[in-house]
Amino acid sequence: MSVPDQRTIGNGRGTRCGIVVRRCTTAKLFVLPVITALLVQFGTSASQARTAHDQLTLSGQVCARDTGKPIAGAQIGADNQWTRAGADGSFQLSLEPAEHVFLRAAAAGYQSSDLVTVSAAGGGELSGPAAFSFCGNLALAGAFTSADNAVKLVPVDQLQSVSPHNVELIGSTTDAVESNAAIQLPNGRVILSPLQIQGKVLICEVPIHYGPGRYLVEINAAAGFALIKLPLFAGVGYQPPTAPPLYAPDTSGLTIGQVRALAFKDINQQRALGKLPPLKEDARLMSETQAHSDDVAAGGFISRHAHIGSNGSTPAQRVKAAGVTYQSIAEDIGLGQTMGEIIYGLMDSPAHRWAIMGNFTKVGIGVARLNDNYTLTVDFVLP
């Protein structure tokens, strides 16, 4: 199982891998979405779990990773049901018995916790009392400084007024950054905002001009990880992140061609929900992206710079070598056990969402197996 990149600061999951090339200039958005799950087994026997009919009651505490102190008022969610912790960070959440429970913790000014999958020991249903704490390694990290101090952001009020204005984010990083921030608006659209970069200092203007709701700001390394993923809330209260759906293993037993067809269908379904025209498959792009996914899987470099081929090729070079001319292109790369999981992760990242919902007409999709996962390469092209 993978662990999210702990260098990402903000209230969103760490993600990796996506490249955008606009007007034939290369700009890298390196954020690979990986839905992560940590299996925690409670000390309930399988027979007890299967026969018990009382409710599942989870109790525990939410702490700050840097200080170890409890976080008053933190929010804890299980399967999209949320409760608020008390003054000492303690919580109690009652649920219906289930085989799996998805847990998250969140608080204003902190990173969200990793998504945690809780399962009963030996299988069966979770029920009865169980203790679980977001402390220690699972404690919430500060939203404004990464664990290794390589990325810092001047603290900003995440609760903003709804009146049109700009929020200035000022930070510093030892990594080179992409030239634009991707900002997801309350209506789900994504805009790109140019970054001002002065040495190690970066400045991002976030336009609060699109009504009330959540503005999700994502700033990415030029060739590394998502560095900042921070939500701002205009005219509304702090909203904890929602847990992703539980995806059935819909790719088990399918051929690579069938999995590619699922990805193509899922991507166009997302565009349809946004009232955008469907993308058309291009045979040359399909061959090119399949070769790159095979290359990524064979080289095992998904966690490094998956957009750079083993021969040093960039997305723009590979597309041109395939004989495809373009005005602009974008490349997304994802990793996961199912296509539903991968596409959800891509849509949960503003940079990847921008590509999926962008002004493109053609697409190439490549899928390869990597251990128990699939690697997905998607190239979007506007001829």
Side-chain angles (χ1 to χ4, degrees), residues 244-299:
L246 174 62
Y247 291 103
D250 56 2
T251 52
S252 59
L254 300 182
T255 66
I256 289 296
Q258 290 171 321
V259 177
R260 281 170 37 156
L262 280 174
F264 180 64
K265 177 182 176 182
D266 287 347
I267 288 170
N268 273 333
Q269 184 176 26
Q270 293 296 333
R271 289 179 63 87
L273 291 173
K275 297 180 171 52
L276 297 171
L279 299 168
K280 295 181 180 179
E281 291 178 311
D282 182 286
R284 295 167 298 177
L285 291 174
M286 296 294 281
S287 177
E288 172 262 323
T289 52
Q290 185 59 51
H292 185 63
S293 279
D294 290 339
D295 185 33
V296 170

Short mmCIF file of all heavy atoms in Angstrom, two decimals, residues 244-299:
data_model
loop_
_atom_site.label_atom_id
_atom_site.label_comp_id
_atom_site.label_asym_id
_atom_site.label_seq_id
_atom_site.Cartn_x
_atom_site.Cartn_y
_atom_site.Cartn_z
N PRO A 244 -13.93 9.20 -0.36
CA PRO A 244 -14.24 8.68 -1.69
C PRO A 244 -15.12 7.46 -1.62
O PRO A 244 -15.21 6.81 -0.58
CB PRO A 244 -12.86 8.33 -2.26
CG PRO A 244 -12.02 8.06 -1.07
CD PRO A 244 -12.52 8.98 0.00
N PRO A 245 -15.79 7.13 -2.72
CA PRO A 245 -16.62 5.92 -2.73
C PRO A 245 -15.78 4.67 -2.56
O PRO A 245 -14.56 4.69 -2.78
CB PRO A 245 -17.27 5.96 -4.13
CG PRO A 245 -17.07 7.34 -4.64
CD PRO A 245 -15.82 7.85 -3.99
N LEU A 246 -16.43 3.59 -2.18
CA LEU A 246 -15.77 2.29 -2.13
C LEU A 246 -15.95 1.64 -3.50
O LEU A 246 -17.07 1.35 -3.91
CB LEU A 246 -16.38 1.42 -1.03
CG LEU A 246 -15.88 -0.03 -0.97
CD1 LEU A 246 -14.39 -0.05 -0.69
CD2 LEU A 246 -16.63 -0.82 0.09
N TYR A 247 -14.85 1.44 -4.21
CA TYR A 247 -14.93 0.90 -5.56
C TYR A 247 -14.76 -0.61 -5.54
O TYR A 247 -13.83 -1.14 -4.94
CB TYR A 247 -13.86 1.52 -6.46
CG TYR A 247 -14.11 2.98 -6.75
CD1 TYR A 247 -13.41 3.98 -6.10
CD2 TYR A 247 -15.08 3.35 -7.67
CE1 TYR A 247 -13.66 5.32 -6.36
CE2 TYR A 247 -15.34 4.68 -7.93
CZ TYR A 247 -14.63 5.66 -7.28
OH TYR A 247 -14.88 6.98 -7.53
N ALA A 248 -15.69 -1.29 -6.20
CA ALA A 248 -15.56 -2.73 -6.37
C ALA A 248 -14.40 -3.02 -7.31
O ALA A 248 -14.04 -2.18 -8.14
CB ALA A 248 -16.85 -3.30 -6.94
N PRO A 249 -13.77 -4.20 -7.19
CA PRO A 249 -12.65 -4.53 -8.07
C PRO A 249 -13.14 -4.80 -9.49
O PRO A 249 -13.14 -5.92 -9.98
CB PRO A 249 -12.05 -5.79 -7.41
CG PRO A 249 -13.20 -6.41 -6.69
CD PRO A 249 -14.04 -5.26 -6.21
N ASP A 250 -13.59 -3.71 -10.18
CA ASP A 250 -14.21 -3.88 -11.49
C ASP A 250 -13.21 -4.23 -12.59
O ASP A 250 -13.61 -4.52 -13.71
CB ASP A 250 -14.97 -2.61 -11.88
CG ASP A 250 -14.09 -1.36 -11.86
OD1 ASP A 250 -12.89 -1.47 -11.57
OD2 ASP A 250 -14.61 -0.28 -12.13
N THR A 251 -11.92 -4.18 -12.29
CA THR A 251 -10.93 -4.51 -13.31
C THR A 251 -10.41 -5.95 -13.21
O THR A 251 -9.62 -6.37 -14.03
CB THR A 251 -9.72 -3.55 -13.21
OG1 THR A 251 -9.24 -3.54 -11.88
CG2 THR A 251 -10.12 -2.14 -13.59
N SER A 252 -10.87 -6.69 -12.19
CA SER A 252 -10.37 -8.06 -12.04
C SER A 252 -10.88 -8.92 -13.20
O SER A 252 -12.05 -8.91 -13.55
CB SER A 252 -10.84 -8.65 -10.71
OG SER A 252 -12.25 -8.65 -10.64
N GLY A 253 -9.97 -9.66 -13.82
CA GLY A 253 -10.35 -10.56 -14.90
C GLY A 253 -10.53 -9.88 -16.24
O GLY A 253 -10.85 -10.55 -17.23
N LEU A 254 -10.35 -8.56 -16.32
CA LEU A 254 -10.52 -7.85 -17.58
C LEU A 254 -9.20 -7.78 -18.34
O LEU A 254 -8.12 -7.78 -17.76
CB LEU A 254 -11.03 -6.43 -17.33
CG LEU A 254 -12.37 -6.30 -16.61
CD1 LEU A 254 -12.76 -4.83 -16.50
CD2 LEU A 254 -13.47 -7.08 -17.33
N THR A 255 -9.30 -7.71 -19.66
CA THR A 255 -8.12 -7.52 -20.47
C THR A 255 -7.68 -6.05 -20.39
O THR A 255 -8.46 -5.18 -19.99
CB THR A 255 -8.39 -7.88 -21.93
OG1 THR A 255 -9.34 -6.95 -22.48
CG2 THR A 255 -8.95 -9.30 -22.05
N ILE A 256 -6.45 -5.77 -20.82
CA ILE A 256 -5.97 -4.40 -20.84
C ILE A 256 -6.86 -3.55 -21.74
O ILE A 256 -7.18 -2.40 -21.42
CB ILE A 256 -4.50 -4.34 -21.32
CG1 ILE A 256 -3.57 -4.90 -20.24
CG2 ILE A 256 -4.09 -2.91 -21.67
CD1 ILE A 256 -3.55 -4.10 -18.95
N GLY A 257 -7.29 -4.10 -22.86
CA GLY A 257 -8.17 -3.36 -23.75
C GLY A 257 -9.48 -2.99 -23.09
O GLY A 257 -10.01 -1.89 -23.28
N GLN A 258 -10.03 -3.90 -22.29
CA GLN A 258 -11.28 -3.62 -21.59
C GLN A 258 -11.08 -2.57 -20.50
O GLN A 258 -11.96 -1.72 -20.29
CB GLN A 258 -11.84 -4.92 -21.00
CG GLN A 258 -12.36 -5.89 -22.03
CD GLN A 258 -12.70 -7.25 -21.44
OE1 GLN A 258 -11.99 -7.76 -20.57
NE2 GLN A 258 -13.77 -7.86 -21.92
N VAL A 259 -9.94 -2.60 -19.82
CA VAL A 259 -9.65 -1.60 -18.80
C VAL A 259 -9.48 -0.23 -19.44
O VAL A 259 -9.96 0.78 -18.93
CB VAL A 259 -8.40 -1.99 -17.99
CG1 VAL A 259 -8.06 -0.91 -16.97
CG2 VAL A 259 -8.62 -3.32 -17.27
N ARG A 260 -8.81 -0.18 -20.59
CA ARG A 260 -8.68 1.08 -21.32
C ARG A 260 -10.04 1.63 -21.71
O ARG A 260 -10.29 2.83 -21.63
CB ARG A 260 -7.82 0.88 -22.58
CG ARG A 260 -6.35 0.84 -22.29
CD ARG A 260 -5.47 0.43 -23.44
NE ARG A 260 -5.86 0.88 -24.75
CZ ARG A 260 -5.00 1.00 -25.77
NH1 ARG A 260 -3.71 0.75 -25.58
NH2 ARG A 260 -5.40 1.36 -26.96
N ALA A 261 -10.94 0.74 -22.12
CA ALA A 261 -12.29 1.17 -22.50
C ALA A 261 -13.03 1.75 -21.30
O ALA A 261 -13.79 2.73 -21.43
CB ALA A 261 -13.07 0.00 -23.10
N LEU A 262 -12.80 1.17 -20.11
CA LEU A 262 -13.41 1.71 -18.90
C LEU A 262 -12.90 3.12 -18.62
O LEU A 262 -13.67 4.03 -18.27
CB LEU A 262 -13.10 0.81 -17.70
CG LEU A 262 -13.93 -0.45 -17.51
CD1 LEU A 262 -13.36 -1.27 -16.36
CD2 LEU A 262 -15.39 -0.09 -17.23
N ALA A 263 -11.59 3.32 -18.77
CA ALA A 263 -11.02 4.64 -18.54
C ALA A 263 -11.59 5.66 -19.51
O ALA A 263 -11.94 6.78 -19.12
CB ALA A 263 -9.49 4.58 -18.67
N PHE A 264 -11.69 5.29 -20.77
CA PHE A 264 -12.24 6.19 -21.79
C PHE A 264 -13.68 6.55 -21.46
O PHE A 264 -14.08 7.72 -21.52
CB PHE A 264 -12.14 5.51 -23.15
CG PHE A 264 -12.67 6.34 -24.29
CD1 PHE A 264 -12.08 7.54 -24.63
CD2 PHE A 264 -13.76 5.90 -25.03
CE1 PHE A 264 -12.57 8.31 -25.69
CE2 PHE A 264 -14.25 6.66 -26.08
CZ PHE A 264 -13.66 7.87 -26.41
N LYS A 265 -14.47 5.57 -21.06
CA LYS A 265 -15.86 5.81 -20.70
C LYS A 265 -15.96 6.71 -19.48
O LYS A 265 -16.77 7.67 -19.47
CB LYS A 265 -16.55 4.47 -20.41
CG LYS A 265 -18.00 4.60 -19.95
CD LYS A 265 -18.58 3.23 -19.63
CE LYS A 265 -20.00 3.35 -19.08
NZ LYS A 265 -20.57 2.01 -18.73
N ASP A 266 -15.14 6.46 -18.46
CA ASP A 266 -15.20 7.26 -17.23
C ASP A 266 -14.80 8.71 -17.49
O ASP A 266 -15.41 9.63 -16.95
CB ASP A 266 -14.28 6.65 -16.16
CG ASP A 266 -14.83 5.37 -15.57
OD1 ASP A 266 -16.02 5.07 -15.81
OD2 ASP A 266 -14.07 4.65 -14.89
N ILE A 267 -13.78 8.92 -18.31
CA ILE A 267 -13.33 10.28 -18.60
C ILE A 267 -14.42 11.05 -19.34
O ILE A 267 -14.73 12.20 -19.00
CB ILE A 267 -12.02 10.26 -19.41
CG1 ILE A 267 -10.86 9.82 -18.49
CG2 ILE A 267 -11.71 11.62 -20.03
CD1 ILE A 267 -9.58 9.53 -19.23
N ASN A 268 -15.02 10.44 -20.35
CA ASN A 268 -16.08 11.13 -21.09
C ASN A 268 -17.34 11.32 -20.24
O ASN A 268 -18.09 12.28 -20.43
CB ASN A 268 -16.41 10.39 -22.38
CG ASN A 268 -15.52 10.82 -23.53
OD1 ASN A 268 -15.03 11.96 -23.54
ND2 ASN A 268 -15.31 9.94 -24.48
N GLN A 269 -17.55 10.41 -19.27
CA GLN A 269 -18.69 10.61 -18.36
C GLN A 269 -18.47 11.84 -17.50
O GLN A 269 -19.42 12.60 -17.26
CB GLN A 269 -18.87 9.36 -17.49
CG GLN A 269 -20.10 9.45 -16.58
CD GLN A 269 -20.30 8.18 -15.80
OE1 GLN A 269 -19.36 7.44 -15.52
NE2 GLN A 269 -21.54 7.90 -15.41
N GLN A 270 -17.24 12.06 -17.04
CA GLN A 270 -16.95 13.26 -16.27
C GLN A 270 -17.16 14.52 -17.11
O GLN A 270 -17.70 15.52 -16.64
CB GLN A 270 -15.52 13.22 -15.74
CG GLN A 270 -15.25 12.15 -14.70
CD GLN A 270 -16.04 12.35 -13.42
OE1 GLN A 270 -16.40 13.47 -13.06
NE2 GLN A 270 -16.32 11.27 -12.73
N ARG A 271 -16.75 14.47 -18.37
CA ARG A 271 -16.97 15.61 -19.26
C ARG A 271 -18.46 15.85 -19.50
O ARG A 271 -18.92 17.00 -19.56
CB ARG A 271 -16.23 15.40 -20.58
CG ARG A 271 -14.71 15.51 -20.43
CD ARG A 271 -13.99 15.26 -21.75
NE ARG A 271 -14.31 16.25 -22.77
CZ ARG A 271 -13.69 17.41 -22.93
NH1 ARG A 271 -12.67 17.72 -22.12
NH2 ARG A 271 -14.02 18.25 -23.89
N ALA A 272 -19.22 14.77 -19.64
CA ALA A 272 -20.66 14.91 -19.85
C ALA A 272 -21.32 15.58 -18.65
O ALA A 272 -22.24 16.41 -18.80
CB ALA A 272 -21.28 13.55 -20.12
N LEU A 273 -20.87 15.21 -17.43
CA LEU A 273 -21.43 15.84 -16.23
C LEU A 273 -21.15 17.34 -16.21
O LEU A 273 -21.92 18.11 -15.65
CB LEU A 273 -20.84 15.17 -14.98
CG LEU A 273 -21.27 13.73 -14.71
CD1 LEU A 273 -20.48 13.14 -13.56
CD2 LEU A 273 -22.77 13.66 -14.42
N GLY A 274 -20.05 17.74 -16.84
CA GLY A 274 -19.70 19.16 -16.93
C GLY A 274 -20.22 19.81 -18.19
O GLY A 274 -19.82 20.93 -18.54
N LYS A 275 -21.12 19.07 -18.93
CA LYS A 275 -21.73 19.58 -20.16
C LYS A 275 -20.67 19.92 -21.21
O LYS A 275 -20.78 20.93 -21.92
CB LYS A 275 -22.63 20.78 -19.87
CG LYS A 275 -23.82 20.45 -18.97
CD LYS A 275 -24.70 21.66 -18.71
CE LYS A 275 -25.99 21.28 -18.00
NZ LYS A 275 -25.82 20.48 -16.80
N LEU A 276 -19.65 19.06 -21.31
CA LEU A 276 -18.59 19.23 -22.29
C LEU A 276 -18.68 18.14 -23.34
O LEU A 276 -19.14 17.02 -23.05
CB LEU A 276 -17.22 19.16 -21.60
CG LEU A 276 -16.92 20.25 -20.57
CD1 LEU A 276 -15.63 19.93 -19.84
CD2 LEU A 276 -16.83 21.61 -21.24
N PRO A 277 -18.27 18.40 -24.57
CA PRO A 277 -18.34 17.38 -25.62
C PRO A 277 -17.37 16.24 -25.33
O PRO A 277 -16.33 16.43 -24.69
CB PRO A 277 -17.93 18.14 -26.89
CG PRO A 277 -17.12 19.30 -26.40
CD PRO A 277 -17.72 19.68 -25.07
N PRO A 278 -17.69 15.04 -25.79
CA PRO A 278 -16.81 13.89 -25.54
C PRO A 278 -15.52 14.00 -26.32
O PRO A 278 -15.44 14.64 -27.38
CB PRO A 278 -17.65 12.70 -26.01
CG PRO A 278 -18.56 13.27 -27.05
CD PRO A 278 -18.88 14.66 -26.58
N LEU A 279 -14.48 13.37 -25.80
CA LEU A 279 -13.20 13.27 -26.49
C LEU A 279 -13.24 12.10 -27.46
O LEU A 279 -13.96 11.11 -27.24
CB LEU A 279 -12.07 13.06 -25.48
CG LEU A 279 -11.87 14.18 -24.45
CD1 LEU A 279 -10.94 13.72 -23.34
CD2 LEU A 279 -11.35 15.45 -25.12
N LYS A 280 -12.47 12.19 -28.53
CA LYS A 280 -12.39 11.11 -29.50
C LYS A 280 -11.02 10.45 -29.42
O LYS A 280 -10.00 11.14 -29.29
CB LYS A 280 -12.62 11.66 -30.91
CG LYS A 280 -14.02 12.22 -31.12
CD LYS A 280 -14.21 12.74 -32.55
CE LYS A 280 -15.62 13.29 -32.73
NZ LYS A 280 -15.83 13.81 -34.11
N GLU A 281 -11.02 9.13 -29.48
CA GLU A 281 -9.76 8.40 -29.44
C GLU A 281 -8.97 8.62 -30.74
O GLU A 281 -9.55 8.65 -31.83
CB GLU A 281 -10.01 6.91 -29.24
CG GLU A 281 -10.55 6.55 -27.86
CD GLU A 281 -10.82 5.08 -27.72
OE1 GLU A 281 -11.47 4.50 -28.60
OE2 GLU A 281 -10.39 4.50 -26.71
N ASP A 282 -7.68 8.76 -30.60
CA ASP A 282 -6.78 8.89 -31.74
C ASP A 282 -5.84 7.69 -31.71
O ASP A 282 -5.16 7.44 -30.70
CB ASP A 282 -5.98 10.20 -31.65
CG ASP A 282 -5.05 10.40 -32.83
OD1 ASP A 282 -4.01 9.72 -32.89
OD2 ASP A 282 -5.36 11.26 -33.68
N ALA A 283 -5.81 6.92 -32.80
CA ALA A 283 -5.04 5.67 -32.82
C ALA A 283 -3.56 5.91 -32.54
O ALA A 283 -2.91 5.12 -31.85
CB ALA A 283 -5.22 4.99 -34.17
N ARG A 284 -3.00 7.02 -33.05
CA ARG A 284 -1.59 7.30 -32.83
C ARG A 284 -1.32 7.63 -31.36
O ARG A 284 -0.33 7.18 -30.78
CB ARG A 284 -1.15 8.46 -33.72
CG ARG A 284 -1.21 8.16 -35.23
CD ARG A 284 -1.06 9.42 -36.04
NE ARG A 284 -2.15 10.36 -35.76
CZ ARG A 284 -2.25 11.57 -36.29
NH1 ARG A 284 -1.30 12.01 -37.11
NH2 ARG A 284 -3.27 12.36 -35.98
N LEU A 285 -2.24 8.39 -30.75
CA LEU A 285 -2.09 8.70 -29.33
C LEU A 285 -2.30 7.46 -28.47
O LEU A 285 -1.64 7.29 -27.44
CB LEU A 285 -3.08 9.79 -28.92
CG LEU A 285 -2.83 11.19 -29.48
CD1 LEU A 285 -3.98 12.13 -29.12
CD2 LEU A 285 -1.51 11.75 -28.95
N MET A 286 -3.22 6.59 -28.88
CA MET A 286 -3.46 5.37 -28.12
C MET A 286 -2.19 4.50 -28.09
O MET A 286 -1.82 3.95 -27.07
CB MET A 286 -4.62 4.58 -28.72
CG MET A 286 -5.97 5.30 -28.65
SD MET A 286 -6.59 5.53 -26.97
CE MET A 286 -7.24 3.90 -26.63
N SER A 287 -1.53 4.40 -29.24
CA SER A 287 -0.30 3.61 -29.31
C SER A 287 0.81 4.24 -28.48
O SER A 287 1.54 3.55 -27.75
CB SER A 287 0.13 3.49 -30.78
OG SER A 287 1.35 2.79 -30.88
N GLU A 288 0.91 5.57 -28.54
CA GLU A 288 1.97 6.29 -27.82
C GLU A 288 1.78 6.19 -26.31
O GLU A 288 2.73 5.93 -25.57
CB GLU A 288 1.97 7.75 -28.28
CG GLU A 288 2.87 8.68 -27.52
CD GLU A 288 2.12 9.47 -26.44
OE1 GLU A 288 0.97 9.85 -26.70
OE2 GLU A 288 2.70 9.68 -25.35
N THR A 289 0.55 6.39 -25.82
CA THR A 289 0.32 6.33 -24.37
C THR A 289 0.43 4.91 -23.85
O THR A 289 0.89 4.70 -22.72
CB THR A 289 -1.07 6.90 -24.02
OG1 THR A 289 -2.07 6.27 -24.83
CG2 THR A 289 -1.12 8.40 -24.24
N GLN A 290 0.04 3.92 -24.67
CA GLN A 290 0.19 2.53 -24.23
C GLN A 290 1.66 2.19 -24.06
O GLN A 290 2.06 1.54 -23.08
CB GLN A 290 -0.46 1.58 -25.22
CG GLN A 290 -0.44 0.12 -24.77
CD GLN A 290 -1.15 -0.08 -23.44
OE1 GLN A 290 -2.29 0.37 -23.26
NE2 GLN A 290 -0.49 -0.74 -22.49
N ALA A 291 2.49 2.65 -25.00
CA ALA A 291 3.92 2.40 -24.90
C ALA A 291 4.51 3.05 -23.65
O ALA A 291 5.37 2.47 -22.98
CB ALA A 291 4.63 2.91 -26.16
N HIS A 292 4.01 4.25 -23.32
CA HIS A 292 4.56 4.93 -22.14
C HIS A 292 4.11 4.24 -20.85
O HIS A 292 4.90 4.08 -19.92
CB HIS A 292 4.14 6.39 -22.11
CG HIS A 292 4.77 7.15 -20.98
ND1 HIS A 292 6.14 7.32 -20.88
CD2 HIS A 292 4.24 7.74 -19.88
CE1 HIS A 292 6.42 8.00 -19.78
NE2 HIS A 292 5.29 8.26 -19.15
N SER A 293 2.84 3.81 -20.77
CA SER A 293 2.39 3.09 -19.58
C SER A 293 3.19 1.80 -19.40
O SER A 293 3.57 1.44 -18.28
CB SER A 293 0.89 2.77 -19.67
OG SER A 293 0.11 3.89 -19.30
N ASP A 294 3.44 1.09 -20.50
CA ASP A 294 4.27 -0.13 -20.42
C ASP A 294 5.67 0.21 -19.92
O ASP A 294 6.25 -0.52 -19.11
CB ASP A 294 4.36 -0.79 -21.80
CG ASP A 294 3.04 -1.41 -22.25
OD1 ASP A 294 2.19 -1.69 -21.38
OD2 ASP A 294 2.87 -1.59 -23.47
N ASP A 295 6.20 1.35 -20.40
CA ASP A 295 7.54 1.78 -19.99
C ASP A 295 7.58 2.11 -18.51
O ASP A 295 8.50 1.71 -17.78
CB ASP A 295 7.93 3.00 -20.83
CG ASP A 295 9.36 3.46 -20.56
OD1 ASP A 295 10.22 2.61 -20.27
OD2 ASP A 295 9.61 4.68 -20.64
N VAL A 296 6.56 2.84 -18.03
CA VAL A 296 6.48 3.20 -16.61
C VAL A 296 6.41 1.95 -15.74
O VAL A 296 7.12 1.82 -14.74
CB VAL A 296 5.26 4.11 -16.35
CG1 VAL A 296 5.05 4.28 -14.84
CG2 VAL A 296 5.45 5.47 -17.01
N ALA A 297 5.55 1.02 -16.12
CA ALA A 297 5.39 -0.20 -15.32
C ALA A 297 6.66 -1.03 -15.32
O ALA A 297 7.07 -1.55 -14.28
CB ALA A 297 4.21 -1.01 -15.85
N ALA A 298 7.30 -1.14 -16.47
CA ALA A 298 8.52 -1.96 -16.56
C ALA A 298 9.66 -1.34 -15.77
O ALA A 298 10.45 -2.05 -15.15
CB ALA A 298 8.92 -2.13 -18.03
N GLY A 299 9.72 0.00 -15.77
CA GLY A 299 10.81 0.68 -15.07
C GLY A 299 10.54 0.92 -13.60
O GLY A 299 11.45 1.23 -12.84
#
